[in-house]
Amino acid sequence: MTAKRRPSEVLADARRKDSREKRAKVLAVVEEMVARGDAVTLASVAKTAGVSNWLVYAEGVREHIETARKQQAGKGRRDRQEGLSPSAASLRTDLELSRQEVTALRGERDRLKAALQRQLGQQRDQIGSADLIARVEELTRQNEELASEVGDLRLVKSELEAKVEELEDDLAAARSSLRRMIRAENSGPALA
C-alpha cells in the first residue's frame, strides 16, 4: 500500500508537472520558430507559447532560446556573405525603386482616367447632339405638316363659309318666295 500524501505534496507535484509541461511547450515552440525561419526573441517565444515572460528567462529555457538566436544570427550573416540575403542598402534601393514605380503608375492611372472621362463626355455629347438634331428635324417636319394642314383647313373653311353664305342666300330667297306664295294664296279668290 502507498503512503498517504499530504495536500502540500500533491500541490508541489502538480506544480512540478505543470512546469515541465510549460518548459516542454516553450522548447517545442522554439524549434518550430527556427524551422519556419521566424525571428526568435524571448518575447515572441513567450507570446507564441502562451507562457509568462519570467518562464522564458528561467534557467534551462533561456539557454535554448539564446542558442536558437545565435544560430539565426549566424545564418543571416552567412546568407549575406554568400549573397543569399539582401543587404540593407539593397533593400533601401528596392524600396525607392518601388516607390518611383508606384508614383509612375499612379500618374499613368490618372492620365488614363482623365482621357477616359473626356472620351465618355464626347460620346455623350455626340449622342446627345445626334438625338437633338433628329428631334429638331422631326419637329420641323411635323410643323411643316401642321402648317400645310392649317392652310388646307383654311381653304376648306373659306369654301364652306362661301357655301354657307350661298345657302343662306338661297334660304332667304326661298323664304321670300314662300311668303309671296302664301300671301298670294291668302289674297286670292275665296272659296265659299
Side-chain angles (χ1 to χ4, degrees):
M1 209 172 194
T2 61
K4 195 170 185 182
R5 297 187 328 172
R6 292 186 310 209
S8 61
E9 291 173 341
V10 173
L11 185 59
D13 286 343
R15 285 186 179 168
R16 279 191 290 275
K17 180 182 175 194
D18 187 47
S19 177
R20 280 191 306 270
E21 288 174 357
K22 286 183 179 180
R23 287 173 182 257
K25 185 175 183 181
V26 168
L27 296 178
V29 165
V30 169
E31 289 176 16
E32 290 174 13
M33 291 177 76
V34 169
R36 285 193 310 255
D38 294 345
V40 176
T41 64
L42 293 166
S44 66
V45 170
K47 184 176 181 181
T48 305
V51 296
S52 63
N53 286 338
W54 70 266
L55 181 61
V56 295
Y57 285 98
E59 190 177 320
V61 176
R62 183 181 69 239
E63 291 81 11
H64 287 288
I65 294 172
E66 292 298 328
T67 303
R69 290 181 67 191
K70 288 177 184 174
Q71 286 175 351
Q72 283 185 333
K75 183 179 184 314
R77 212 175 10 260
R78 281 192 307 273
D79 286 349
R80 280 192 297 278
Q81 288 171 351
E82 295 172 5
L84 299 176
S85 152
S87 67
S90 173
L91 291 174
R92 280 192 298 274
T93 303
D94 287 347
L95 180 61
E96 184 57 33
L97 289 172
S98 296
R99 285 180 178 156
Q100 290 174 359
E101 185 176 359
V102 166
T103 303
L105 288 172
R106 285 181 179 158
E108 182 179 358
R109 178 205 61 198
D110 292 343
R111 284 190 303 278
L112 291 172
K113 186 177 178 181
L116 182 61
Q117 287 174 339
R118 282 192 305 274
Q119 185 179 10
L120 288 174
Q122 288 173 350
Q123 287 177 352
R124 189 190 72 203
D125 290 345
Q126 289 173 351
I127 289 172
S129 297
D131 288 343
L132 288 176
I133 290 170
R135 183 70 177 143
V136 166
E137 289 174 355
E138 179 184 347
L139 291 173
T140 303
R141 183 182 47 76
Q142 287 178 351
N143 188 32
E144 289 171 356
E145 289 173 3
L146 290 173
S148 173
E149 190 175 330
V150 165
D152 292 345
L153 290 174
R154 283 186 180 150
L155 182 63
V156 168
K157 178 187 170 213
S158 65
E159 289 174 359
L160 288 174
E161 285 174 344
K163 195 166 197 170
V164 165
E165 195 175 311
E166 182 182 326
L167 288 173
E168 284 177 348
D169 289 344
D170 287 348
L171 181 60
R175 284 181 182 162
S176 174
S177 174
L178 183 60
R179 276 190 220 117
R180 275 186 297 219
M181 281 174 47
I182 291 174
R183 262 188 244 133
E185 200 58 40
N186 287 338
S187 58
L191 295 173

